[in-house]
Amino acid sequence: MKLSIIVPVLNESESLIELSREIIAACEQNNIPFEVIFVDDGSTDSSWVVISECSKLDSRISGIRFRRNFGKAAALTAGMRAADGDLVMMMDADLQDDPAEIPKFLSKLETGFDVVNGWKQRRLDPWHKVYPSKVFNWMIGKLTGLWLHDHNCGLKLFRREVTHEIRIYGELHRFIPVLAAARGFKVTELPVHHRERQFGHSKYGVKRFLRGFLDLLTVKFLTGYGQRPQHLLGGIGFCLFGLGSLGLAFLAAIWMLTNIGGMSFDPIGSRPLLAYSMASMLLGAQAVSLGFIAELLIAYTGRDVETYSVKERTAPRVDAIESTAASH
Ligand code: UDP
Ligand code: MG
């Protein structure tokens, strides 16, 4: 089985030759047929020159160069489209991931999984990365039900079908295991050896945590309600509308008791409940109409989206083959 290794690259020129050497050594020692696809995501250093040289020296190495920086998710997508292996591995270019782990990933996949996700058990990154990332992984587990220690590990192995079915764009590369699991693929994890960054610097700053959290909400929505948005929006809408109606009914009762029953209450116009109830009813109605718009989009534009994932099929029926043969 051929292995395609995809390496997204943003200004990592110092690491690329050593990385290529390590990958070749690991694969050759274990008789693994492979290809390496470097995707240069708009580097401004000499990364592309190095990639071009490597591809001349070894025909198993190739490169794709973006016109500008489009992000790691786009780089991985371009690599996945170009890959022709039965198995696809992604690996960071900064030498933090160790190519010597490749055989372990292959054996783990063979025990019956579709995705093997790396887990940097002893992580050699600064503390301001390590601790927030623990919280982030916990939040993903809590919200999606897929409990992994290291969702965003740069080292992952998948069967080729997985790369055909998941769509990663923006910064959704952090959610590859979640997106794969949502389509029924079996996901597991494997502790990996992590190394300190030797050259260059990390491409992600503190902004990643807020963005990551917003993306987590998007992924939760897409995987949970992507095909039935009204169940979420309409659900929220009905609750809000119901609460608002209750508030107004209460105020109506007070109005009647005062004006018809002759009892004495504060006038309803001066009560905060009036404003809250009206706002709640309006927001509720709006959420339901938003839900209808979302449903319209799916009904009329979602025709080509595969909403299901086929694991296998039986062989074609004998009578079907015979009837096709007879008609020719
Ligand atoms: N990367 C990329 N495009 C980007 C940002 C990063 O291709 O816009 C690559 C980068 O060159 C590296 C990998 O993605 O190979 C992971 O990035 P980095 O090591 O900076 O992330 P960290 O390990 O700090 O989470
Ligand atoms: Mg790194």
Side-chain angles (χ1 to χ4, degrees), residues 84-295:
D84 68 359
D86 313 282
L87 304 175
V88 178
M89 176 160 235
M90 54 182 257
M91 183 182 290
D92 285 355
D94 53 7
L95 286 171
Q96 289 199 267
D97 299 328
D98 187 351
E101 304 277 356
I102 294 174
K104 274 201 267 166
F105 272 77
L106 296 178
S107 334
K108 184 81 186 183
L109 196 86
E110 273 159 22
T111 59
F113 294 97
D114 302 304
V115 178
V116 182
N117 195 65
W119 165 23
K120 305 182 286 278
Q121 211 167 14
R122 272 192 67 245
R123 193 172 167 179
L124 297 173
D125 274 324
W127 65 269
H128 53 83
K129 242 172 148 164
V130 176
Y131 291 102
S133 155
K134 283 197 169 153
V135 177
F136 192 60
N137 281 303
W138 178 83
M139 279 197 311
I140 300 181
K142 197 80 196 149
L143 224 67
T144 67
L146 180 66
W147 292 95
L148 295 177
H149 289 89
D150 195 0
H151 281 264
N152 191 23
C153 185
L155 198 54
K156 300 185 193 333
L157 176 69
F158 341 92
R159 291 184 195 281
R160 189 226 292 271
E161 303 88 277
V162 179
T163 66
H164 290 172
E165 290 199 25
I166 54 171
R167 223 187 119 232
I168 45 170
Y169 54 91
E171 291 189 4
L172 294 195
H173 59 274
R174 297 196 181 98
F175 300 95
I176 291 175
V178 172
L179 293 170
R183 293 192 69 85
F185 290 109
K186 285 182 80 180
V187 181
T188 186
E189 67 182 353
L190 184 71
V192 294
H193 170 218
H194 190 234
R195 306 185 286 197
E196 239 169 301
R197 203 182 232 286
Q198 295 179 40
F199 309 103
H201 54 84
S202 170
K203 309 302 179 304
Y204 296 100
V206 276
K207 275 190 196 151
R208 66 151 123 207
F209 296 110
L210 178 62
R211 290 177 178 176
F213 180 68
L214 292 172
D215 283 342
L216 174 57
L217 295 183
T218 303
V219 166
K220 172 73 190 164
F221 177 69
L222 285 179
T223 55
Y225 297 93
Q227 291 301 311
R228 49 189 188 101
Q230 187 65 299
H231 286 183
L232 179 70
L233 290 159
I236 294 173
F238 267 107
C239 289
L240 286 173
F241 198 87
L243 279 176
S245 316
L246 278 179
L248 285 190
F250 174 73
L251 291 176
I254 285 184
W255 186 88
M256 281 197 275
L257 289 177
T258 316
N259 289 285
I260 303 170
M263 296 166 90
S264 105
F265 287 104
D266 287 345
I268 63 171
S270 61
R271 288 165 183 261
L273 186 62
L274 183 63
Y276 287 138
S277 307
M278 303 264 294
S280 182
M281 283 182 81
L282 283 173
L283 283 175
Q286 201 130 55
V288 174
S289 34
L290 211 60
F292 279 125
I293 293 181
E295 292 284 349

